[in-house]
Amino acid sequence: MSSTEPRRTALDALHRSLGATMTDFAGWDMPLRYGSERDEHLAVRTRAGLFDLSHMGEITVTGPQAAALLNFALVGNLASVGLGRARYTMICRADGGILDDLIVYRLGETEYMVVANASNAQVVLDALTERAAGFDAEVRDDRDAYALLAVQGPESPGILKSLTDADLDGLKYYAGLPGTVAGVPALIARTGYTGEDGFELFVKPEHAVELWQALTKAGEGAGLVPCGLSCRDTLRLEAGMPLYGHELSTSLTPFDAGLGRVVKFEKEGDFVGRAALQEAAARAQENPPRVLVGLVAEGRRVPRSGYPVVAGGAVVGEVTSGAPSPTLGRPIAMAYVDAAHAAPGTSGVGVDIRGSHEPYEVVALPFYKRQK
């Protein structure tokens, strides 16, 4: 077997100069943490954090039938997305299984940017290219055209305002606008994966280092710190946000994942997976699938992905993600559990951690919601 070198982002040398612990993530060498992941997590919750997300997969779809292609290829109604707005959606297989969850930005009248997870970017690109047959639209791999930086946390609007004259106050959640940040042309999007207010900045790779340095300098007084993938995971877990490969997979439909709302049957025309998803929706009505719930530990042991959830001596579910929660000060997990044990406050639920049944409290997701 030939070992392929991991890909490196435009900020690779900078991460190393900051003493980052690097890790292979979906074929990319990415910063896991710079110092204490707990400190990085709490900085995002209380002040601000700066992330390199250049491993995400950008795919541009352009042409007169770009909207029609996306409506056919994805489960959402992308034709109804306003100019400058973004939408969370999914791409499914013909059998309804989730290939990836996506954010789609409408950049122009006939131009869209699809942002896929790093681990699925090639799969999504291949599926969109295949599904484009017969449409007057072009699918373009733009993964090398962008670096992606994120500033997340309550101080992020103030930090960014000091570097741009773009109308940040007028920028709604899940919207994007072109602007200049610290002299660098950027697509400024009010999106994120932390549960906090924040921005994601799409720039050319050659501008990434200068933008990172400008944001670092602008954030000095506000307590901004560089953040790695480790705290990104605990932040999204507290915010109840799904992660592909954990809460979402090809073996689940959006209805199994409790995200049936992203499937828009009312849109015109056929779309990939429509028939299978209509069956899945009907099935979910008659026989509720397992429900994604939050679990909070009564003890200190941390549940991990794949651990069985138990009640009354029987397995009633499975943990999909688990970690210590810096905000709650206790281990937490997301898990799919049988509907009978999914109500918040259900007693007698535990997690089998290496043969020992640890007691857990069932709670509604998310674990954490920011104060508006």
Side-chain angles (χ1 to χ4, degrees):
M1 275 175 61
S2 67
S3 69
T4 49
E5 281 290 303
R7 299 181 68 180
R8 297 184 167 195
T9 78
L11 292 159
D12 185 77
L14 196 148
H15 297 316
R16 291 167 197 278
S17 74
L18 291 171
T21 301
M22 305 296 284
T23 188
D24 175 59
F25 184 82
W28 290 81
D29 220 3
M30 297 298 291
L32 190 62
R33 70 181 77 80
Y34 298 86
S36 149
E37 50 208 53
R38 185 176 178 276
D39 290 350
E40 291 171 26
H41 179 110
L42 294 172
V44 175
R45 285 278 175 259
T46 57
R47 302 186 306 279
L50 178 59
F51 297 82
D52 177 11
L53 305 179
S54 303
H55 60 310
M56 300 295 280
E58 295 87 6
I59 301 161
T60 304
V61 179
T62 55
Q65 289 190 299
L69 161 59
L70 289 171
N71 265 14
F72 169 72
L74 312 180
V75 300
N77 186 354
L78 284 307
S80 68
V81 177
L83 211 54
R85 297 307 301 263
R87 186 160 296 165
Y88 176 79
T89 186
M90 292 182 183
I91 182 166
C92 289
R93 301 193 305 196
D95 67 2
I98 302 166
L99 281 172
D100 201 13
D101 62 335
L102 311 164
I103 295 180
V104 180
Y105 296 88
R106 187 172 185 184
L107 302 182
E109 206 52 55
T110 58
E111 183 181 2
Y112 295 79
M113 180 168 68
V114 176
V115 182
N117 285 298
S119 53
N120 297 328
Q122 191 63 49
V123 168
V124 174
L125 178 68
D126 292 346
L128 285 174
T129 304
E130 191 184 307
R131 294 172 191 189
F135 287 93
D136 186 2
E138 183 202 348
V139 175
R140 190 171 72 230
D141 180 359
D142 268 347
R143 283 176 287 181
D144 294 335
Y146 291 103
L148 177 57
L149 279 64
V151 193
Q152 298 279 302
E155 298 288 346
S156 55
I159 293 167
L160 206 53
K161 270 182 196 171
S162 70
L163 296 174
T164 184
D165 53 10
D167 178 18
L168 297 186
D169 290 335
L171 187 64
K172 295 184 170 73
Y173 187 50
Y174 266 71
L177 87 170
T180 305
V181 182
V184 170
L187 171 68
I188 305 166
R190 199 165 209 152
T191 43
Y193 195 49
T194 61
E196 299 298 336
D197 191 9
F199 303 88
E200 295 184 325
L201 307 169
F202 296 86
V203 298
K204 286 183 174 167
E206 58 264 33
H207 294 146
V209 170
E210 103 187 63
L211 182 56
W212 179 284
Q213 289 170 336
L215 287 162
T216 299
K217 197 165 174 356
E220 271 171 6
L224 174 92
V225 301
C227 291
L229 290 180
S230 188
C231 83
R232 181 170 157 88
D233 192 49
T234 52
L235 289 159
R236 71 93 196 166
L237 177 55
E238 287 184 352
M241 294 174 167
L243 176 63
Y244 196 90
H246 289 259
E247 287 72 41
L248 308 173
S249 71
T250 49
S251 63
L252 296 171
T253 72
F255 294 94
D256 298 321
L259 290 163
R261 64 178 181 277
V262 305
V263 181
K264 304 299 181 193
F265 292 122
E266 68 277 13
K267 65 179 174 177
E268 278 177 38
D270 196 17
F271 62 90
V272 177
R274 182 192 270 272
L277 289 168
Q278 277 171 325
E279 284 174 26
R283 249 193 339 267
Q285 285 291 312
E286 286 164 33
N287 182 17
R290 282 185 164 175
V291 181
L292 189 64
V293 300
L295 298 174
V296 179
E298 292 180 20
R300 311 299 307 168
R301 297 185 73 185
V302 179
R304 297 296 180 193
S305 180
Y307 285 10
V309 179
V310 290
V315 174
V316 298
E318 187 178 307
V319 171
T320 52
S321 298
S325 163
T327 305
L328 275 64
R330 287 151 80 186
I332 58 172
M334 284 202 273
Y336 281 111
V337 302
D338 293 346
H341 298 276
T346 302
S347 61
V349 173
V351 175
D352 183 339
I353 301 183
R354 297 189 196 90
S356 160
H357 289 191
E358 302 286 328
Y360 273 73
E361 181 191 353
V362 179
V363 299
L365 291 169
F367 298 97
Y368 166 85
K369 213 171 191 159
R370 71 183 170 99
Q371 304 303 307
K372 289 282 187 277

